[in-house]
């Protein structure tokens, strides 16, 4: 599984959505991505990449694309 | 009371934190015992307690104000795959100065240790607690946060901030099974008392209905209770341990 697939899968697991729906998703764009769902997403991402996000990064993670930028700081590369 | 629980306690090398460590272990908890640094005395304390109670105590060393070091420690705790059933935020430093004699550097330093450090640590640990669906956070505050004791402008303010944080956590994370409470000790007989003026101590003792100082063990008993399932519907509270002051 590529990092892109792992990343999209984290959204799918956290919000029970299809991979295509994950892309372009933003915070609170769907009911499942509320503040509680956000922590579930963080858990899925941390688990998928074996990292621990900084509190500031957890706050900044407000879209699918932004999350990829944040993960770059943790040496997670996307093709 | 704590059999099968895994508890992270900060500042366990002396005073109230040491008593909390002892009481938690006595009550059957496995503990991550935090200290700022490894010392022969601390290693002996942990080893003796572990042997005496046949309980695993995992020492963890980090400077509470070093976010990177805290993060590393939390990653290590998380990698153990054990639940963190309770966090007891005890580490902190006392400061004595009147409001008008409170210097900016001291204000920033004390807030760093007594508020920002437990704030960030609790943020990280509460993430784990939310995921596991349960957890108890116990914050050691102070009566100075509630009473506005003269000479405690900075210390009392930092501890008041800790109480506010605890209330917010109780409200925000209660639905996810995470409780947060505070203990507000009065004057407790620890080495920290040596930093307080003798006349102030004597006056406080006189004002205390029980006419004595508390012991670290009396505070630790409350911490054990709040960390345990015995307090399962207690959330967002501040319990004074002050002999009725």
């Amino acid at each position: 599984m590529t990092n892109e697939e792992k990343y999209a899968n984290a959204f799918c697991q956290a919000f029970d959505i299809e991979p295509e729906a994950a892309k372009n998703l933003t915070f609170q764009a769907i009911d499942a991505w509320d503040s509680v769902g956000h922590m579930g997403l963080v858990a899925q991402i941390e688990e998928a990449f074996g990292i621990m996000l900084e509190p500031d990064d957890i706050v900044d993670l407000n879209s699918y694309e932004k999350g990829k930028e944040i993960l770059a700081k943790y040496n997670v590369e996307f093709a | 009371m704590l059999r099968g629980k895994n508890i992270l306690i900060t500042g366990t090398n002396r005073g109230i934190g040491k008593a909390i460590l002892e009481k938690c272990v006595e009550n059957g908890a496995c503990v991550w015992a935090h200290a700022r640094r490894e010392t022969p005395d601390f290693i002996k304390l942990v080893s003796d307690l572990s042997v005496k109670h046949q309980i695993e105590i995992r020492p963890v060393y980090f400077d509470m104000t070093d976010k990177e070091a805290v993060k590393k420690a939390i990653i290590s705790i998380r990698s153990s795959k054990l639940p963190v059933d309770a966090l007891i935020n005890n580490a902190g430093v006392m400061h004595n100065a009147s409001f008008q004699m409170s210097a900016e550097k001291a204000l920033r330093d004390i807030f760093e240790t007594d508020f920002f450090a437990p704030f960030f640590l609790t943020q990280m640990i509460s993430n784990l607690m939310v995921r596991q669906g349960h957890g108890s956070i116990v914050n050691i505050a102070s009566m100075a946060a509630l009473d506005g004791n003269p000479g405690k402008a900075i210390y009392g303010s930092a501890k008041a901030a800790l109480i506010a944080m605890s209330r917010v956590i109780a409200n925000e994370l209660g639905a996810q099974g995470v409780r947060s409470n505070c203990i507000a000790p009065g004057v407790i007989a620890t080495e920290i008392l040596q930093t307080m003026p003798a006349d102030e101590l004597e006056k406080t003792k006189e004002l205390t209905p029980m006419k004595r100082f508390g012991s670290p063990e009396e505070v630790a008993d409350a911490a054990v209770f709040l960390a345990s399932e015995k307090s399962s519907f207690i959330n967002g509270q501040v319990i004074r341990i002050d002999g009725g002051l």
Side-chain angles (χ1 to χ4, degrees), chain A residues 3-57:
Chain A
N3 280 345
E4 182 78 44
E5 287 167 336
K6 275 162 68 175
Y7 181 61
N9 191 50
F11 279 74
C12 298
Q13 295 293 320
F15 303 140
D16 197 20
I17 55 174
E18 294 300 316
E20 276 314 303
K23 295 175 182 160
N24 302 319
L25 202 59
T26 55
F27 181 55
Q28 292 184 331
I30 54 172
D31 289 348
W33 196 352
D34 58 7
S35 59
V36 176
H38 189 68
M39 295 317 297
L41 173 63
V42 169
Q44 290 290 341
I45 292 172
E46 289 187 341
E47 191 70 30
F49 296 103
I51 56 171
M52 184 167 184
L53 295 174
E54 289 275 353
D56 287 352
D57 290 331

Side-chain angles (χ1 to χ4, degrees), chain B:
Chain B
M1 206 187 273
L2 297 172
R3 180 96 21 218
K5 301 283 184 198
N6 292 285
I7 301 180
L8 170 59
I9 311 167
T10 64
T12 57
N13 59 330
R14 60 183 176 166
I16 291 172
K18 183 178 167 190
I20 294 172
L21 168 63
E22 289 168 345
K23 288 277 181 181
C24 282
V25 170
E26 209 177 287
N27 279 275
C30 292
V31 172
W32 287 283
H34 160 264
R36 189 172 179 178
R37 63 179 76 87
E38 189 174 339
T39 62
D41 283 352
F42 186 66
I43 292 169
K44 186 173 183 319
L45 168 71
V46 166
S47 166
D48 289 351
L49 277 175
S50 190
V51 169
K52 183 177 173 191
H53 298 285
Q54 292 296 294
I55 284 280
E56 187 178 3
I57 304 174
R58 314 167 195 106
V60 280
Y61 304 105
F62 57 86
D63 177 349
M64 287 284 293
T65 64
D66 180 347
K67 263 179 84 179
E68 271 310 304
V70 175
K71 199 175 145 188
K72 269 187 195 162
I74 304 304
I75 287 174
S76 147
I77 287 171
R78 198 177 64 173
S79 68
S80 73
K81 302 281 183 198
L82 294 167
V84 182
D85 299 296
L87 163 67
I88 302 178
N89 280 318
N90 166 73
V93 287
M94 169 79 90
H95 183 265
N96 298 298
S98 68
F99 176 71
Q100 292 192 309
M101 293 299 285
S102 293
E104 183 182 343
K105 186 176 182 314
L107 178 64
R108 293 186 189 283
D109 287 350
I110 298 298
F111 260 77
E112 191 65 53
T113 313
D114 290 0
F115 179 59
F116 295 135
F119 187 101
F120 292 128
L121 176 67
T122 306
Q123 252 184 344
M124 294 183 208
I125 293 293
S126 66
N127 284 345
L128 302 180
M129 289 176 167
V130 166
R131 284 174 217 178
Q132 67 201 21
H134 74 276
S136 175
I137 297 162
V138 182
N139 302 291
I140 305 301
S142 167
M143 69 171 181
L146 304 170
D147 298 347
N149 306 85
K152 298 288 184 297
I154 296 177
Y155 181 72
S157 299
K159 292 295 190 183
L162 195 64
I163 290 173
M165 177 193 85
S166 181
R167 276 295 292 176
V168 172
I169 294 169
N171 284 322
E172 288 189 353
L173 303 184
Q176 293 162 80
V178 180
R179 299 183 292 114
S180 181
N181 292 287
C182 288
I183 292 171
V187 184
I188 305 299
T190 65
E191 55 268 46
I192 215 166
L193 285 193
Q194 289 162 10
T195 68
M196 293 173 70
D199 57 339
E200 191 190 316
L201 285 176
E202 209 40 54
K203 208 166 110 189
T204 308
K205 195 190 274 182
E206 264 316 297
L207 286 171
T208 305
M210 296 183 77
K211 305 292 176 198
R212 67 173 176 86
F213 297 141
S215 72
E217 290 72 24
E218 287 170 314
V219 178
D221 281 332
V224 166
F225 170 69
L226 288 174
S228 79
E229 292 301 320
K230 296 283 182 196
S231 61
S232 54
F233 202 50
I234 297 178
N235 191 23
Q237 302 305 307
V238 182
I239 298 180
R240 297 181 67 118
I241 311 287
D242 64 0
L245 197 62

